[in-house]
């Protein structure tokens, strides 16, 4: 098989899938054989402010002065609260960067990047790379949409391909039709219940079967959005007549192309879900895969309900909430907040009158932004139970470490808001089934279009005092030595490594943000890392799951962490570690994890990286432990230079 420039081999199964058909048109290096590294051309990029400021600082450091994609959008949706100058300065920086480099700017208040992108820009058949792990939301409209670190996105803006391992394709076969009060969210919660937060690593989840046509695009997008929680590279639905309808509603029917799998498609693995027999599901604290039927936890008293986030803030979601709340009142002693996913959703709700139903029932309408999902306000009370329509309930993410956060559908969340306790929404009748009115309007008042090219030269980039320049790392030493400065267990998230919440405004200031590395796990980590001049981290399975935030690699790299030795890694974090010059190493025998303790002195000959097998010397215990890694020759070179920026910088200077 070939594109105009690149000849490649393709796995016969991948060839017949929706994902495969799009990848075939975008591959620029490697073979589409599971496990093999490929480069894919990126048509669209998105960034958000929390990862974007750093991404654009890196873009500058790399000398990329112009967006070479079809469209690149810079969204401001995470740090919208301005409690001092920091976020405000970042916003001005982002606005000036967008003007200078030819990006679209979606201003604060315009909505959550994924929801806005779905409504305005995502196209079937295109590739989208976003510096946010929930970028696969656009898979609901038939894009190959992948989350990555900011540096990879900066490079894609400059026209470089995105490199990843060819995933296996898991077919998720949907049959039947969702019963009333059972929602798309329950489908993805069921997927998580079955395959866990690491079941999707190295895979694409592709939905197929007769049930697909019963789901609208916003429902599909809920499913592909939260597919991120399985660790999957991305999730995708076909582009069919339903997709065409959605694009028509978004006012851009011309963007439709049909992309469906071949009839004789065979997936690498199939998961079957009968929508008709699905029941309302809920993820219990503190992991999105801790899923049970709502029935099993009914009766638990609830203090707060939050509707919104990129998973459940579409027009359909909010109309569902309005239909259920109309003429009723939320329980006293309970706070219900609603964050519309976009200003267009908010506008359409106002125009159709549904907004009045929400307000009249006692809902507090928040800004169109991530808000409580990333700990920007609405932290629950001590030990408080909060039901959220979000996608992550990691301990402490809400801002209250003792809070008990559950994840559910809008239907379940509203049922809880009305009764004050966890309630199966099927007890509330069938109101959610009222059809969504067709009056959605895409509004542009908070969008700044790219500046004409001839005007860009005169734009000055504005930098506040909290925006610190990028530092270039030293080369990796041939003999890496140091202490184990932390040992952690399984499923450590990037929220554990680099907490967001109140620290989000420090994202542009690495020295300051680094003071909080691993704070939720070990409050002494920063001091120890400083005292020992860096060292090694030992970890269990699925290290670095969750957010794409590269600060979870960048800040440990600043603290001179040389390697993370884990049982295995989550995809985006693994790439981020390499990008920032930290060796991601794995135990050849997982049980060797038990042979290393905090404080042990370790030694590693980094020349052995080329052999893909290294002997780790535990000087303290006088033992040797075999390690492996999945880095390519190019990745090894990157790590040796001290990371991607250091590499590009030093290579351009001929060092
Ligand atoms: C998240 O949901 O954890 C975030 C905040 O959107 C992150 C990005 C970030 O840390 O800025 C993500 O999902 O990648
Ligand atoms: Fe924003 Fe939450 Fe979505 Fe992350 S998961 S992009 S914080 S709404």
């Amino acid at each position: 098989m070939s594109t105009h420039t690149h000849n490649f081999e393709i796995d016969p199964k991948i060839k017949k899938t929706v994902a495969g058909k799009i990848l075939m048109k975008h591959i620029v290096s490697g073979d589409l054989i599971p496990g093999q590294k490929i480069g894919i051309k990126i048509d669209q990029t998105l960034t958000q402010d929390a990862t974007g400021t750093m991404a654009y600082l890196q873009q500058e450091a790399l000398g990329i002065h112009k967006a070479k994609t079809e469209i690149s959008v810079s969204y401001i949706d995470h740090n919208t609260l301005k409690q001092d100058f920091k976020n405000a300065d970042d916003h001005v920086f982002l606005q000036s960067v967008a003007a200078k480099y030819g990006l679209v700017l979606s201003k604060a208040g315009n909505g959550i990047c994924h929801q806005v992108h779905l409504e305005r820009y995502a196209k079937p058949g295109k590739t989208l790379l976003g510096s946010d792990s929930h970028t696969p939301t656009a898979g609901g409209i038939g894009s190959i949409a992948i989350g990555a670190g900011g540096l990879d996105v900066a490079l894609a803006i400059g026209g470089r391909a995105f490199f990843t391992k060819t995933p296996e394709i898991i077919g998720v076969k949907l049959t039947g039709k969702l019963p009333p009060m059972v929602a798309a969210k329950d489908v993805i919660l069921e997927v998580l219940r079955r395959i866990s937060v690491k079941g999707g690593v190295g895979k694409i989840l592709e939905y197929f079967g007769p049930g697909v046509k019963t789901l609208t695009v916003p429902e599909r997008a809920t499913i592909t959005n939260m597919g991120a929680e399985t660790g999957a590279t991305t999730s995708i639905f076909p582009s069919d007549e339903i997709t065409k309808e959605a694009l028509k509603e978004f006012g851009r029917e011309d963007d439709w192309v049909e992309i469906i799998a071949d009839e004789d498609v065979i997936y690498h693995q199939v998961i079957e879900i009968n929508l008709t027999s699905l029941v309302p599901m809920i993820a219990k604290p503190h992991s999105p895969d801790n899923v049970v039927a709502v029935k099993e936890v009914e009766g638990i008293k609830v203090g707060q309900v939050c509707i919104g986030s990129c998973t459940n803030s579409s027009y359909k979601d909010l109309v569902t909430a309005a239909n259920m709340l109309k003429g009723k009142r939320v329980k006293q002693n309970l706070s219900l907040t609603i964050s519309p996913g976009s200003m267009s959703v908010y506008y359409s709700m106002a125009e159709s009158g549904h907004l009045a139903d929400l307000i009249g029932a006692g809902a507090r309408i928040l800004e169109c932004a991530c808000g409580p999902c990333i700990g920007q306000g609405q932290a629950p009370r001590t030990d408080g139970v909060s039901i959220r329509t979000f996608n992550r309930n990691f301990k402490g993410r809400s801002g209250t470490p003792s809070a008990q956060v559950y994840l559910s559908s809008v239907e379940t969340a509203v049922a809880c808001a009305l009764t004050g306790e966890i309630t199966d929404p099927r007890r509330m009748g069938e109101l959610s089934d009222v059809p969504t009115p067709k009056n959605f309007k895409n509004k542009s008042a908070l969008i700044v279009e790219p500046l004409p090219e001839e005007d860009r030269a005169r734009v000055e980039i504005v930098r506040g005092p909290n925006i610190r320049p990028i530092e270039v790392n030293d080369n990796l030493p041939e003999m890496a030595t140091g202490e184990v400065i932390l040992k952690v267990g399984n499923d450590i998230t990037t929220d554990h490594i680099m907490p967001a919440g109140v620290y989000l405004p420090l994202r542009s200031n690495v020295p300051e943000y680094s003071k909080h590395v691993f704070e939720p796990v070990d409050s002494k980590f920063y001091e120890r890392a400083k005292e020992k001049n860096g060292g090694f981290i030992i970890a269990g399975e699925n290290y670095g799951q969750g957010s794409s935030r590269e600060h979870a690699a960048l800040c440990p790299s600043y603290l001179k962490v040389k390697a993370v030795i884990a049982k295995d890694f989550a995809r985006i974090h693994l790439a981020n570690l390499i990008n920032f010059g930290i060796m991601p190493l794995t135990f050849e025998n997982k049980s060797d994890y038990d042979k290393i303790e905090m404080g042990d002195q370790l030694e590693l000959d980094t020349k052995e990286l080329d052999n893909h097998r290294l002997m780790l010397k535990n000087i303290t215990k006088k033992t040797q432990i075999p390690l492996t890694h999945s880095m390519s020759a190019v990745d090894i070179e990157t790590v040796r230079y001290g990371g991607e920026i250091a590499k590009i910088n030093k290579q351009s200077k001929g060092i």
Side-chain angles (χ1 to χ4, degrees), residues 48 77-78 112-114 132 134 225 309-311 369-370 373-374 391-392 397:
Q48 39 88 343
D77 55 0
H78 281 61
I112 305 171
C113 53
H114 309 301
D132 192 283
H134 291 106
N225 169 284
S309 94
C310 53
T311 321
C370 300
C373 179
I374 193 59
N391 47 39
R392 290 187 175 142
R397 182 174 158 105

PDB file of all heavy atoms in Angstrom, residues 48 77-78 112-114 132 134 225 309-311 369-370 373-374 391-392 397, ligand 2:
ATOM      1  N   GLN A  48      -5.106  23.619  25.070  1.00  0.00           N
ATOM      2  CA  GLN A  48      -5.889  24.386  26.054  1.00  0.00           C
ATOM      3  C   GLN A  48      -4.871  25.145  26.917  1.00  0.00           C
ATOM      4  O   GLN A  48      -3.688  24.836  26.885  1.00  0.00           O
ATOM      5  CB  GLN A  48      -6.838  23.465  26.835  1.00  0.00           C
ATOM      6  CG  GLN A  48      -6.285  22.093  27.210  1.00  0.00           C
ATOM      7  CD  GLN A  48      -5.561  22.072  28.525  1.00  0.00           C
ATOM      8  OE1 GLN A  48      -5.177  23.103  29.048  1.00  0.00           O
ATOM      9  NE2 GLN A  48      -5.372  20.883  29.072  1.00  0.00           N
ATOM     10  N   ASP A  77      -9.843  27.399  28.593  1.00  0.00           N
ATOM     11  CA  ASP A  77     -11.005  26.792  29.246  1.00  0.00           C
ATOM     12  C   ASP A  77     -10.710  26.231  30.641  1.00  0.00           C
ATOM     13  O   ASP A  77     -11.616  25.994  31.421  1.00  0.00           O
ATOM     14  CB  ASP A  77     -11.580  25.668  28.366  1.00  0.00           C
ATOM     15  CG  ASP A  77     -10.543  24.623  27.996  1.00  0.00           C
ATOM     16  OD1 ASP A  77      -9.380  24.756  28.416  1.00  0.00           O
ATOM     17  OD2 ASP A  77     -10.891  23.661  27.279  1.00  0.00           O
ATOM     18  N   HIS A  78      -9.437  26.017  30.957  1.00  0.00           N
ATOM     19  CA  HIS A  78      -9.103  25.397  32.246  1.00  0.00           C
ATOM     20  C   HIS A  78      -8.938  26.439  33.354  1.00  0.00           C
ATOM     21  O   HIS A  78      -9.575  26.367  34.391  1.00  0.00           O
ATOM     22  CB  HIS A  78      -7.821  24.580  32.128  1.00  0.00           C
ATOM     23  CG  HIS A  78      -8.007  23.234  31.487  1.00  0.00           C
ATOM     24  ND1 HIS A  78      -8.471  23.071  30.212  1.00  0.00           N
ATOM     25  CD2 HIS A  78      -7.777  21.980  31.958  1.00  0.00           C
ATOM     26  CE1 HIS A  78      -8.535  21.770  29.924  1.00  0.00           C
ATOM     27  NE2 HIS A  78      -8.115  21.091  30.975  1.00  0.00           N
ATOM     28  N   ILE A 112     -15.498  24.464  26.666  1.00  0.00           N
ATOM     29  CA  ILE A 112     -14.475  23.435  26.866  1.00  0.00           C
ATOM     30  C   ILE A 112     -13.952  23.006  25.498  1.00  0.00           C
ATOM     31  O   ILE A 112     -14.738  22.736  24.583  1.00  0.00           O
ATOM     32  CB  ILE A 112     -15.073  22.235  27.623  1.00  0.00           C
ATOM     33  CG1 ILE A 112     -15.719  22.703  28.938  1.00  0.00           C
ATOM     34  CG2 ILE A 112     -14.015  21.180  27.886  1.00  0.00           C
ATOM     35  CD1 ILE A 112     -16.521  21.641  29.656  1.00  0.00           C
ATOM     36  N   CYS A 113     -12.634  22.931  25.394  1.00  0.00           N
ATOM     37  CA  CYS A 113     -12.004  22.700  24.085  1.00  0.00           C
ATOM     38  C   CYS A 113     -12.674  21.568  23.301  1.00  0.00           C
ATOM     39  O   CYS A 113     -12.995  21.727  22.121  1.00  0.00           O
ATOM     40  CB  CYS A 113     -10.506  22.443  24.248  1.00  0.00           C
ATOM     41  SG  CYS A 113     -10.043  21.144  25.407  1.00  0.00           S
ATOM     42  N   HIS A 114     -12.910  20.437  23.936  1.00  0.00           N
ATOM     43  CA  HIS A 114     -13.400  19.271  23.182  1.00  0.00           C
ATOM     44  C   HIS A 114     -14.824  19.476  22.667  1.00  0.00           C
ATOM     45  O   HIS A 114     -15.165  19.059  21.576  1.00  0.00           O
ATOM     46  CB  HIS A 114     -13.309  18.008  24.046  1.00  0.00           C
ATOM     47  CG  HIS A 114     -11.954  17.852  24.643  1.00  0.00           C
ATOM     48  ND1 HIS A 114     -10.823  17.764  23.871  1.00  0.00           N
ATOM     49  CD2 HIS A 114     -11.521  17.819  25.926  1.00  0.00           C
ATOM     50  CE1 HIS A 114      -9.764  17.671  24.657  1.00  0.00           C
ATOM     51  NE2 HIS A 114     -10.160  17.703  25.907  1.00  0.00           N
ATOM     52  N   ASP A 132      -4.302  17.455  25.300  1.00  0.00           N
ATOM     53  CA  ASP A 132      -5.249  17.129  26.358  1.00  0.00           C
ATOM     54  C   ASP A 132      -5.711  15.700  26.118  1.00  0.00           C
ATOM     55  O   ASP A 132      -6.004  15.315  24.976  1.00  0.00           O
ATOM     56  CB  ASP A 132      -6.451  18.079  26.321  1.00  0.00           C
ATOM     57  CG  ASP A 132      -7.278  17.934  27.578  1.00  0.00           C
ATOM     58  OD1 ASP A 132      -8.031  16.938  27.665  1.00  0.00           O
ATOM     59  OD2 ASP A 132      -7.171  18.779  28.483  1.00  0.00           O
ATOM     60  N   HIS A 134      -8.348  14.134  26.587  1.00  0.00           N
ATOM     61  CA  HIS A 134      -9.705  13.853  26.095  1.00  0.00           C
ATOM     62  C   HIS A 134      -9.945  14.300  24.653  1.00  0.00           C
ATOM     63  O   HIS A 134     -11.098  14.341  24.189  1.00  0.00           O
ATOM     64  CB  HIS A 134     -10.753  14.429  27.051  1.00  0.00           C
ATOM     65  CG  HIS A 134     -10.754  13.685  28.345  1.00  0.00           C
ATOM     66  ND1 HIS A 134     -10.237  14.197  29.510  1.00  0.00           N
ATOM     67  CD2 HIS A 134     -11.127  12.411  28.629  1.00  0.00           C
ATOM     68  CE1 HIS A 134     -10.319  13.278  30.448  1.00  0.00           C
ATOM     69  NE2 HIS A 134     -10.854  12.187  29.948  1.00  0.00           N
ATOM     70  N   ASN A 225     -14.932  10.259  24.351  1.00  0.00           N
ATOM     71  CA  ASN A 225     -14.247  11.118  25.326  1.00  0.00           C
ATOM     72  C   ASN A 225     -13.709  10.288  26.465  1.00  0.00           C
ATOM     73  O   ASN A 225     -12.516  10.312  26.791  1.00  0.00           O
ATOM     74  CB  ASN A 225     -15.255  12.158  25.849  1.00  0.00           C
ATOM     75  CG  ASN A 225     -14.749  12.932  27.048  1.00  0.00           C
ATOM     76  OD1 ASN A 225     -14.724  12.409  28.161  1.00  0.00           O
ATOM     77  ND2 ASN A 225     -14.324  14.161  26.838  1.00  0.00           N
ATOM     78  N   SER A 309     -18.422  19.212  32.201  1.00  0.00           N
ATOM     79  CA  SER A 309     -17.162  18.617  31.744  1.00  0.00           C
ATOM     80  C   SER A 309     -17.273  18.209  30.282  1.00  0.00           C
ATOM     81  O   SER A 309     -18.377  18.074  29.737  1.00  0.00           O
ATOM     82  CB  SER A 309     -16.702  17.419  32.582  1.00  0.00           C
ATOM     83  OG  SER A 309     -17.147  16.203  32.022  1.00  0.00           O
ATOM     84  N   CYS A 310     -16.125  17.936  29.676  1.00  0.00           N
ATOM     85  CA  CYS A 310     -16.126  17.592  28.253  1.00  0.00           C
ATOM     86  C   CYS A 310     -16.853  16.289  27.971  1.00  0.00           C
ATOM     87  O   CYS A 310     -17.148  15.970  26.826  1.00  0.00           O
ATOM     88  CB  CYS A 310     -14.697  17.545  27.730  1.00  0.00           C
ATOM     89  SG  CYS A 310     -13.601  16.490  28.695  1.00  0.00           S
ATOM     90  N   THR A 311     -17.190  15.510  29.000  1.00  0.00           N
ATOM     91  CA  THR A 311     -17.907  14.253  28.786  1.00  0.00           C
ATOM     92  C   THR A 311     -19.409  14.466  28.621  1.00  0.00           C
ATOM     93  O   THR A 311     -20.056  13.766  27.850  1.00  0.00           O
ATOM     94  CB  THR A 311     -17.694  13.297  29.982  1.00  0.00           C
ATOM     95  OG1 THR A 311     -16.361  13.397  30.411  1.00  0.00           O
ATOM     96  CG2 THR A 311     -18.005  11.877  29.631  1.00  0.00           C
ATOM     97  N   ALA A 369     -16.821  26.221  30.958  1.00  0.00           N
ATOM     98  CA  ALA A 369     -15.396  25.930  31.166  1.00  0.00           C
ATOM     99  C   ALA A 369     -15.277  24.603  31.912  1.00  0.00           C
ATOM    100  O   ALA A 369     -16.282  24.014  32.312  1.00  0.00           O
ATOM    101  CB  ALA A 369     -14.754  27.050  31.979  1.00  0.00           C
ATOM    102  N   CYS A 370     -14.031  24.159  32.125  1.00  0.00           N
ATOM    103  CA  CYS A 370     -13.803  22.894  32.849  1.00  0.00           C
ATOM    104  C   CYS A 370     -14.280  23.001  34.296  1.00  0.00           C
ATOM    105  O   CYS A 370     -14.827  22.063  34.859  1.00  0.00           O
ATOM    106  CB  CYS A 370     -12.318  22.542  32.845  1.00  0.00           C
ATOM    107  SG  CYS A 370     -11.645  22.329  31.201  1.00  0.00           S
ATOM    108  N   CYS A 373     -14.319  20.271  37.334  1.00  0.00           N
ATOM    109  CA  CYS A 373     -13.679  19.031  36.880  1.00  0.00           C
ATOM    110  C   CYS A 373     -12.182  19.046  37.143  1.00  0.00           C
ATOM    111  O   CYS A 373     -11.574  18.013  37.394  1.00  0.00           O
ATOM    112  CB  CYS A 373     -13.957  18.814  35.394  1.00  0.00           C
ATOM    113  SG  CYS A 373     -13.200  17.338  34.754  1.00  0.00           S
ATOM    114  N   ILE A 374     -11.582  20.231  37.092  1.00  0.00           N
ATOM    115  CA  ILE A 374     -10.142  20.310  37.341  1.00  0.00           C
ATOM    116  C   ILE A 374      -9.869  21.135  38.607  1.00  0.00           C
ATOM    117  O   ILE A 374      -8.845  21.796  38.765  1.00  0.00           O
ATOM    118  CB  ILE A 374      -9.375  20.788  36.065  1.00  0.00           C
ATOM    119  CG1 ILE A 374      -7.875  20.579  36.179  1.00  0.00           C
ATOM    120  CG2 ILE A 374      -9.776  22.173  35.623  1.00  0.00           C
ATOM    121  CD1 ILE A 374      -7.455  19.143  36.403  1.00  0.00           C
ATOM    122  N   ASN A 391     -15.346  12.703  34.030  1.00  0.00           N
ATOM    123  CA  ASN A 391     -14.686  11.463  33.601  1.00  0.00           C
ATOM    124  C   ASN A 391     -13.611  10.964  34.563  1.00  0.00           C
ATOM    125  O   ASN A 391     -13.084   9.874  34.384  1.00  0.00           O
ATOM    126  CB  ASN A 391     -14.104  11.642  32.191  1.00  0.00           C
ATOM    127  CG  ASN A 391     -13.322  12.941  32.077  1.00  0.00           C
ATOM    128  OD1 ASN A 391     -12.619  13.330  33.008  1.00  0.00           O
ATOM    129  ND2 ASN A 391     -13.443  13.623  30.956  1.00  0.00           N
ATOM    130  N   ARG A 392     -13.243  11.774  35.542  1.00  0.00           N
ATOM    131  CA  ARG A 392     -12.177  11.347  36.463  1.00  0.00           C
ATOM    132  C   ARG A 392     -12.580  11.644  37.896  1.00  0.00           C
ATOM    133  O   ARG A 392     -13.074  12.736  38.179  1.00  0.00           O
ATOM    134  CB  ARG A 392     -10.870  12.098  36.149  1.00  0.00           C
ATOM    135  CG  ARG A 392     -10.291  11.645  34.846  1.00  0.00           C
ATOM    136  CD  ARG A 392      -8.920  12.216  34.563  1.00  0.00           C
ATOM    137  NE  ARG A 392      -8.461  11.592  33.341  1.00  0.00           N
ATOM    138  CZ  ARG A 392      -7.770  12.184  32.383  1.00  0.00           C
ATOM    139  NH1 ARG A 392      -7.406  13.445  32.527  1.00  0.00           N
ATOM    140  NH2 ARG A 392      -7.421  11.523  31.308  1.00  0.00           N
ATOM    141  N   ARG A 397      -8.640  15.186  43.357  1.00  0.00           N
ATOM    142  CA  ARG A 397      -8.752  16.004  42.143  1.00  0.00           C
ATOM    143  C   ARG A 397      -9.795  17.117  42.292  1.00  0.00           C
ATOM    144  O   ARG A 397      -9.668  18.202  41.724  1.00  0.00           O
ATOM    145  CB  ARG A 397      -9.089  15.102  40.946  1.00  0.00           C
ATOM    146  CG  ARG A 397      -9.190  15.822  39.606  1.00  0.00           C
ATOM    147  CD  ARG A 397      -9.376  14.808  38.493  1.00  0.00           C
ATOM    148  NE  ARG A 397      -9.965  15.403  37.320  1.00  0.00           N
ATOM    149  CZ  ARG A 397      -9.307  15.692  36.190  1.00  0.00           C
ATOM    150  NH1 ARG A 397      -8.022  15.436  36.093  1.00  0.00           N
ATOM    151  NH2 ARG A 397      -9.920  16.239  35.162  1.00  0.00           N
TER     152      ARG A 397
HETATM  153 FE1  LIG B   2     -11.500  19.999  31.149  1.00  0.00          FE
HETATM  154 FE2  LIG B   2     -12.265  18.078  32.780  1.00  0.00          FE
HETATM  155 FE3  LIG B   2     -12.395  17.728  30.191  1.00  0.00          FE
HETATM  156 FE4  LIG B   2     -10.013  17.797  31.373  1.00  0.00          FE
HETATM  157  S1  LIG B   2     -11.608  16.275  31.686  1.00  0.00           S
HETATM  158  S2  LIG B   2     -10.609  18.839  29.468  1.00  0.00           S
HETATM  159  S3  LIG B   2     -10.402  19.309  32.977  1.00  0.00           S
HETATM  160  S4  LIG B   2     -13.556  19.197  31.370  1.00  0.00           S
END
